[in-house]
């Protein structure tokens, strides 16, 4: 057991593979911390790492982590700062070995452990034979009936492997695919000696982990009200000061840019979630029970998170190769923009032989001004040649015979291979995590007690009830204004679905938002969702609504043909849409 902690300061230094390299040094040198964590893995990242491993069998991990450790490992060992990351990707053993080599070159000898058990690719035939269908969570289609062969298959492990490694004396714990929040759950469970059924405490750690997992998004990055932050550039990365009861304070190092406010924390809590019951491998955290309180400058207290028993299934991230894609962007200027777009479309259909020649033929126009537009053609097909040189030749051949003012902003004869994300579930009992120490010793990881949870493909009763709110009688004058004058937003992707979290900054504004923004109203504001399933959830403690738009992103990030395949800008687009708002609710109204 470690010495008792009154507070465990868990810092984040990475929100994705490619985040600010200097963040590790900034967090270690900027003030006191006890644990340095880093999140490097998105669903798409697993495919990127697979491609790297095809070139080099010893690769498959986030190499940027090694550069960060070059800067801070010595200081971490000197100060007793534990390092816990998921940078291992598809090869945590390889990263652990490489870090050991680099540490030895610097005369350092950290105790390095890594966690295994998440990689199910080699076990898929066995698991299928047992009757596990790996049905796609978005479409319901069983993997066996899909005709695809996954290249990655990784279960989301929880935090107990991390806790086990820390209890064994590890200075650095390297994981592969674990839940993002596991990077906080594991250290907190170790420091405070939590039991696997300490549901409320574990749920508090899930909330903390979700808040800090995306780095500077909790400290003013990607924040709707960024103009209110005095120093928004180069924000400091977040710290969760965990307490034994599972509550925490979200903060950052003094003197760094950005801000930590109830609003910045709310925005991150709403990021990439669905229903308020946030499922994790170790616990189900009820985000509709937690409360936020501003305790002082850059300090937000998070309390009250209730937990329920862990689900008896684990989410699995599978990726398979989808084929090849290519795109070309045409610029339209001047008069008759719509007619020019129709002319360009007809010319392209004629030149390429028609949309039916491709697996997918997507043509969409963006019009930033009345006299300017961009028309982007994206094609996808299993045949590389069809979407490569042949497409380029067909597009180029229309150049002198198309609309007046024709010019290409982008076109290439070289297609790109894309992957498809396939989310699925597997029984938790089928997945066994192990901690591996540097000397080869393997330590078992206890499984938390679980409870069966029904997979609800359709909205639950609470969501249905919330979908069409009762509208009170309005009184008083209104003004036509952008929705964002009143509310903030944060949006993101959940496979092929998109989420849009909207929050109000006062009780009165939330009452209006709750009463006036239902599913039908959202579809009017967001025309591309008009024919899609939309689910609405309420989180009154956060004064927030969360909308999930099913299928907006097609097959997901790498395969989506939207200009914004991760729906990062969707919330800000929605904030710009005009609505009728009571004048007395608007700032300076």
């Amino acid at each position: 057991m470690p010495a008792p902690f009154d507070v465990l300061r868990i810092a984040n230094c990475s929100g994705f593979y490619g985040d600010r390299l200097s963040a590790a040094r900034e967090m270690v040198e900027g003030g006191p911390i006890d644990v340095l964590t880093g999140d490097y893995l998105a669903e798409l990242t697993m495919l990127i790492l697979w491609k790297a491993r095809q070139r080099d069998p010893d690769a498959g991990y986030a190499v940027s982590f090694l550069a960060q450790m070059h800067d801070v490992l010595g200081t971490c060992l000197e100060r007793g700062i534990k390092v816990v990351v998921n940078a291992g990707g598809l090869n945590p053993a390889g990263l652990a070995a490489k870090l050991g080599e680099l540490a030895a070159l610097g005369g350092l000898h950290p105790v390095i452990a890594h966690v295994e058990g998440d990689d199910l690719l080699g076990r898929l035939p066995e698991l299928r034979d047992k009757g596990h269908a790996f049905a796609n969570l978005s479409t319901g289609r069983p993997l066996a009936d899909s005709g695809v062969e996954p290249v990655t298959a990784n279960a989301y492990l929880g935090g107990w492997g991390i806790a086990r490694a820390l209890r064994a004396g590890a200075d650095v714990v390297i994981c592969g695919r674990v839940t993002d929040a596991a990077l906080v759950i594991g250290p907190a469970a170790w420091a405070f000696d939590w039991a696997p059924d300490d549901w409320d405490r574990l749920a508090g750690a899930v909330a903390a982990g979700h808040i800090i997992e995306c780095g500077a998004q909790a400290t003013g990055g990607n924040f709707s009200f960024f103009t209110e932050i005095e120093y928004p550039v180069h924000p400091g990365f977040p710290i969760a000061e965990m307490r034994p009861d599972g509550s925490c304070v979200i903060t950052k190092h003094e003197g760094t840019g950005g801000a930590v406010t109830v609003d910045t924390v709310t925005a991150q809590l709403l990021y990439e979630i669905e229903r308020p019951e946030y499922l994790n491998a170790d616990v189900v955290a009820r985000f509709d029970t937690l409360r936020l309180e501003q305790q002082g400058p850059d300090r937000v207290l998070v309390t009250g998170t209730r937990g329920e028993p862990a689900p008896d299934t684990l989410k699995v991230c599978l990726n398979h190769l989808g084929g090849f894609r290519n795109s070309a962007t045409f610029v339209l200027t001047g008069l008759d923009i719509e007619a020019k777009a129709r002319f360009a479309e007809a010319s392209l259909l004629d030149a390429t032989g028609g949309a039916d020649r491709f697996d997918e033929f997507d043509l969409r126009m963006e019009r930033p001004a009345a006299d300017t537009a961009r028309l982007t053609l994206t094609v996808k097909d299993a045949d590389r040649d069809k979407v490569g040189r042949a497409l380029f030749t067909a597009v180029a051949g229309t150049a002198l015979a198309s609309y007046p003012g024709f010019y290409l902003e982008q076109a290439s004869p070289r297609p790109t291979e894309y992957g498809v994300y396939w989310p699925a579930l597997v029984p938790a009992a089928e997945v066994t995590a192990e901690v591996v120490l540097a000397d080869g010793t393997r330590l078992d990881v206890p499984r938390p007690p679980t409870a069966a949870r029904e997979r609800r493909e359709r909205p639950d009763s609470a969501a249905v009830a919330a979908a069409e709110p009762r509208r009170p009688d309005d009184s008083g004058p209104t003004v036509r204004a952008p929705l964002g004058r009143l509310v903030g937003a944060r949006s993101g992707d959940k496979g092929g679905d998109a989420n849009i979290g909207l929050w109000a900054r006062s009780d009165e504004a939330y009452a209006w938002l709750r009463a006036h923004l239902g599913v039908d109203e959202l579809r009017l504001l967001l025309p591309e969702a008009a024919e899609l399933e939309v689910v609405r959830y309420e989180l009154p403690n956060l004064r927030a609504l969360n909308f999930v738009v099913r299928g907006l992103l097609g097959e997901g990030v790498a395969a989506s043909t939207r200009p914004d395949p991760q729906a990062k800008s969707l919330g800000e687009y929605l904030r710009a849409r005009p609505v009728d708002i009571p004048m007395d609710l608007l700032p300076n109204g």
Side-chain angles (χ1 to χ4, degrees):
M1 268 296 297
F5 285 93
D6 294 323
V7 172
L8 185 73
R9 299 176 181 88
I10 304 177
N12 172 280
C13 72
S14 176
F16 70 102
Y17 187 16
D19 210 347
R20 194 161 83 210
L21 272 176
S22 62
R25 186 177 66 252
E26 293 168 14
M27 298 311 288
V28 170
E29 297 178 356
I33 62 172
D34 303 304
V35 182
L36 180 69
T37 68
D39 179 12
Y40 300 80
L41 300 184
E43 288 83 4
L44 178 61
T45 313
M46 306 304 281
L47 189 66
I48 292 171
L49 296 177
W50 175 81
K51 290 182 177 180
R53 207 167 190 186
Q54 302 316 292
R55 298 187 295 269
D56 177 3
D58 293 328
Y61 49 76
V63 296
S64 56
F65 170 71
L66 295 172
Q68 291 179 307
M69 288 299 97
H70 179 271
D71 291 342
V72 304
L73 182 57
T75 305
C76 288
L77 293 173
E78 179 184 328
R79 298 181 184 174
I81 299 171
K82 303 293 186 180
V83 179
V84 179
V85 297
N86 62 9
L90 297 176
N91 189 9
L95 181 57
K98 190 65 174 179
L99 179 62
E101 294 172 8
L102 294 180
L105 290 174
L108 303 175
H109 303 285
V111 177
I112 303 171
H114 70 274
V115 179
E116 295 183 353
D118 63 296
D119 192 345
L120 302 182
L121 185 64
R123 296 184 57 206
L124 285 181
E126 164 212 338
L127 293 169
R128 287 180 189 170
D129 289 343
K130 289 183 175 182
H132 304 309
F134 292 95
N136 189 299
L137 292 179
S138 297
T139 67
R141 187 179 186 185
L143 184 63
D145 297 342
S146 66
V148 303
E149 194 62 40
V151 295
T152 71
N154 297 81
Y156 287 72
L157 302 180
W160 291 106
I162 295 168
R164 185 77 168 91
L166 293 172
R167 287 169 179 162
D171 300 306
V172 181
V173 184
I174 294 173
C175 303
R177 181 71 276 181
V178 293
T179 67
D180 299 337
L183 303 176
V184 170
I185 295 171
W190 159 75
F192 301 127
D193 199 26
W194 289 343
D197 60 354
D198 280 333
W199 303 125
D200 291 348
R201 295 181 178 91
L202 292 166
V206 168
H210 184 68
I211 292 167
I212 74 170
E213 72 186 42
C214 289
Q217 278 195 171
T219 57
N222 292 349
F223 178 56
S224 292
F225 305 108
F226 70 97
T227 58
E228 299 177 7
I229 298 177
E230 187 174 5
Y231 301 109
V233 176
H234 204 89
F237 273 54
I239 299 168
E241 295 180 351
M242 292 300 306
R243 299 173 177 178
D245 65 355
S247 65
C248 70
V249 170
I250 305 299
T251 186
K252 64 185 183 68
H253 284 321
E254 187 175 354
T256 57
V260 179
T261 68
V262 166
D263 282 329
T264 67
V265 172
T266 297
Q268 181 55 28
L269 278 168
L270 295 174
Y271 182 59
E272 295 185 344
I273 65 170
E274 293 189 20
R275 55 178 54 87
E277 307 100 273
Y278 191 74
L279 273 63
N280 198 269
D282 300 312
V283 64
V284 176
R286 295 295 307 246
F287 280 9
D288 54 352
T289 62
L290 62 80
R291 295 185 179 277
L292 306 179
E293 177 187 344
Q294 194 78 43
Q295 279 207 322
D298 297 319
R299 293 184 64 80
V300 171
L301 176 65
V302 185
T303 59
T305 312
R306 299 298 301 272
E308 298 173 357
D312 62 355
T313 56
L314 297 179
K315 188 176 179 181
V316 182
C317 168
L318 300 103
N319 284 286
H320 65 87
L321 297 180
F324 299 88
R325 63 184 292 165
N326 203 352
S327 62
T329 300
F330 307 80
V331 178
L332 315 172
T333 60
L335 303 174
D336 304 320
I337 293 293
E338 297 292 339
K340 288 174 179 175
R342 291 193 296 271
F343 189 180
E345 180 177 6
S347 298
L348 287 169
L349 291 171
D350 176 72
T352 60
D356 292 342
R357 289 196 63 246
F358 304 93
D359 291 344
E360 187 170 344
F361 185 98
D362 181 87
L363 195 65
R364 61 181 71 209
M365 186 168 70
E366 295 179 272
R367 193 165 182 176
D371 58 356
T372 304
R374 283 176 174 80
L375 188 68
T376 299
L377 169 67
T378 303
V379 294
K380 294 160 58 177
D381 202 272
D383 186 340
R384 180 190 186 102
D385 294 334
K386 193 185 295 185
V387 298
R389 174 65 65 177
L391 177 71
F392 179 78
T393 300
V395 168
T398 69
L400 303 184
S402 189
Y403 60 89
F406 174 102
Y407 79 88
L408 280 169
E409 188 173 67
Q410 180 270 326
S412 172
R414 292 181 293 275
T416 57
E417 191 174 31
Y418 71 91
V420 179
Y421 169 54
W422 183 289
L425 298 175
V426 69
E430 293 285 7
V431 180
T432 301
E434 284 187 309
V435 172
V436 184
L437 304 181
D439 63 2
T441 301
R442 291 182 172 269
L443 306 176
D444 293 336
V445 176
R447 291 193 183 99
T450 62
R453 298 184 68 88
E454 181 182 354
R455 171 70 187 173
R456 293 174 292 181
E457 297 292 348
R458 313 305 298 178
D460 58 25
S461 57
V464 171
E468 296 300 334
R470 287 179 295 177
R471 188 185 300 266
D473 292 333
D474 291 325
S475 60
T478 63
V479 61
R480 195 75 170 166
L483 179 63
R485 290 280 307 277
L486 193 64
V487 303
R490 177 66 63 77
S491 58
D493 63 297
K494 297 291 289 184
D497 303 337
N499 98 291
I500 313 166
L502 299 162
W503 81 94
R505 308 175 87 183
S506 70
D507 292 339
E508 295 78 13
Y510 176 63
W512 176 87
L513 178 68
R514 179 179 180 274
H516 287 78
L517 192 59
V519 167
D520 290 341
E521 288 77 13
L522 182 89
R523 288 195 175 107
L524 291 174
L525 296 175
L526 191 64
E528 62 181 313
E531 303 300 322
L532 300 175
E533 179 188 354
V534 179
V535 189
R536 177 184 184 271
Y537 299 102
E538 296 181 1
L539 294 94
N541 285 2
L542 298 178
R543 297 193 290 234
L545 304 178
N546 187 47
F547 292 88
V548 180
V549 185
R550 305 289 188 198
L552 183 72
L553 307 180
E555 293 181 298
V557 177
S560 178
T561 57
R562 293 184 83 253
D564 175 19
Q566 292 178 289
K568 302 294 188 184
S569 65
L570 195 60
E572 286 302 300
Y573 170 81
L574 196 64
R575 291 183 70 235
R577 302 290 286 164
V579 296
D580 294 320
I581 301 175
M583 291 183 64
D584 60 358
L585 291 181
L586 289 171
N588 303 317

